[in-house]
Amino acid sequence: MSLIETIRLHRIDIPLVRPFRTSFGTQVARDVLLVEVVTDTGLSGWAECVAMEWPGYSAEYVDGAVNVLTEHLIPRVLVDRSCDAQAAHERMRRLVGHPMAKAALETAILDASLREQRRSLADYLGAVRTEVDCGVSVGIPTGIDALLEEVASYVDAGYRRIKLKIEPGWDEEAVRAVREAWPDIPLQTDANQAYTRDDTALLAAMDDCDLLLVEQPLPEDDLRGHALLAEQISTPVCLDESITSTATADTAIAYGATSIINIKPGRVGGYLEAKAIHDLCLARGIPVWCGGMLETGIGRAANVALAALPGFTLPGDTSASSRYFATDITEPFVLDDGRLRVPTGPGIGVEPIPTVLAEFTTWSAVIDARSR
Ligand code: OSB
Ligand code: MG
């Protein structure tokens, strides 16, 4: 097994093609932290930290991720320089929280070690598909006309499922407008915790709109509220923010708080934990799909590999590069008949294009593993 020689952190600022508004705020650009693990054989492993600029989706944010990686996670992992993702996972387990920062470091180590073995991440995780069905997440727009125009562009591009961001005041009318315009398109909603236990009637109002699911209607810690809601509406409840580990997935399923799960590797602390949640859900008959965090090609490549596992039976938020960025930092992921091809090269199968990375980089740091 190779040894870790250097760890580089790269922070980039890359504009989105259109503002992305959710119930927790608006993003106009991605402030992305990339982790690069360089081994003593000169190979680089890459990963994207999905934390956002501010703690709106979860408690993590980019400045916090930089700090916890630099001051705590990297020093803990480098106690042993072996390029071993499982060992790094075990060492980081003793530090509480920060799943997105942990996921980035673990994935960069995993990518480096798989590149050494010339084995793809998809193969390592147990992929059974060579391409994955793709959906698209539609932010809260300025009005119904803008919504229909945006959805039309995605339907024309071939997306196999549409997800509408909702919040109180932007829900039933928007959902009905899209459902009337496209009576047969697979459609679902995502509230990002914007409703309360008192809003059951607002959510039940969309039960006749033939939705695949409603994602995270209530606060992340309210599993009982989700279980009570699931008894009162016919639309399946799907959890995102609430599912932080295999244990919370097991609890939420047992309590009837979720009948479908959105798996986001960053939210659960990495691809090893994401795979474990997938395995649990497969055993329990709970369908899963791969969520997204507006990733660049680096994060997307790994998500597409995960989405190729057998339990991922619903289209994911694994959209093409062009849905997010005019120029991606990797070779772009391009939709073909509503699907993305699973990378087959070693590790995540893609790497940043040096000139594009340099163009968007706002900050970087180098940590020498040997001087510890
Ligand atoms: O809740 O799924 C979410 C983006 C950022 C933060 C949270 C979420 C999202 C999305 C977009 O819905 C998913 C994507 O296209 O990457
Ligand atoms: Mg969500």
Side-chain angles (χ1 to χ4, degrees), residues 2 4 36 39 45 53 58-59 64 82 92 133 149 220 274 310 367 369:
S2 55
I4 298 172
E36 178 188 7
T39 69
E53 206 170 339
S58 74
S82 312
M92 289 192 285
D133 287 356
E149 201 175 300
E220 69 168 79
I367 296 138

Side-chain angles (χ1 to χ4, degrees), residues 154-173:
Y154 297 141
V155 172
D156 291 347
Y159 284 102
R160 291 172 175 263
R161 177 274 276 154
I162 302 291
K163 160 170 141 183
L164 303 182
K165 290 291 193 179
I166 59 168
E167 65 182 5
W170 180 260
D171 44 28
E172 187 186 349
E173 188 192 357

Side-chain angles (χ1 to χ4, degrees), residues 10-190:
H10 308 257
R11 193 163 174 175
I12 67 172
D13 184 22
I14 181 169
L16 292 169
V17 291
R18 56 162 61 85
F20 186 68
R21 180 154 99 79
T22 64
S23 59
F24 60 75
T26 305
Q27 288 174 274
V28 296
R30 282 289 287 126
D31 176 2
V32 183
L33 180 66
L34 298 172
V35 179
E36 178 188 7
V37 165
V38 186
T39 69
D40 59 352
T41 62
L43 274 171
S44 283
W46 289 91
E48 173 167 349
C49 177
V50 299
M52 298 180 356
E53 206 170 339
W54 79 100
Y57 166 80
S58 74
E60 289 183 275
Y61 59 104
V62 187
D63 284 324
V66 169
N67 185 272
V68 79
L69 277 161
T70 312
E71 302 296 328
H72 302 284
L73 299 175
I74 290 173
R76 183 67 63 99
V77 163
L78 289 180
V79 164
D80 176 350
R81 288 173 54 209
S82 312
C83 190
D84 179 343
Q86 189 71 55
H89 183 93
E90 287 307 317
R91 282 199 287 282
M92 289 192 285
R93 212 161 54 83
R94 294 287 161 203
L95 296 168
V96 175
H98 302 282
M100 294 174 178
K102 288 175 177 172
L105 181 53
E106 178 186 298
T107 307
I109 293 171
L110 181 59
D111 183 42
S113 74
L114 289 171
R115 285 180 200 259
E116 298 278 0
Q117 301 164 50
R118 303 206 56 77
R119 184 175 183 193
S120 73
L121 177 65
D123 179 55
Y124 171 82
L125 292 173
V128 294
R129 280 184 277 272
T130 56
E131 44 187 23
V132 300
D133 287 356
C134 297
V136 59
S137 177
V138 184
I140 299 171
T142 50
I144 296 290
D145 290 347
L147 172 70
L148 294 177
E149 201 175 300
E150 187 175 344
V151 172
S153 74
Y154 297 141
V155 172
D156 291 347
Y159 284 102
R160 291 172 175 263
R161 177 274 276 154
I162 302 291
K163 160 170 141 183
L164 303 182
K165 290 291 193 179
I166 59 168
E167 65 182 5
W170 180 260
D171 44 28
E172 187 186 349
E173 188 192 357
V175 169
R176 281 196 195 283
V178 171
R179 179 45 88 215
E180 272 164 32
W182 293 277
D184 301 320
I185 190 101
L187 185 64
Q188 64 194 49
T189 57
D190 185 0

Side-chain angles (χ1 to χ4, degrees), residues 252-303:
I253 294 166
Y255 287 3
T258 195
S259 52
I260 298 169
I261 288 179
N262 166 339
I263 299 183
K264 282 183 189 167
R267 193 193 65 224
V268 304
Y271 289 83
L272 304 177
E273 189 72 12
K275 156 102 169 130
I277 295 174
H278 160 273
D279 294 351
L280 171 85
C281 291
L282 194 59
R284 299 281 165 82
I286 296 288
V288 302
W289 54 281
C290 185
M293 292 291 287
L294 313 177
E295 287 91 346
T296 70
I298 293 296
R300 188 161 317 285
N303 283 350

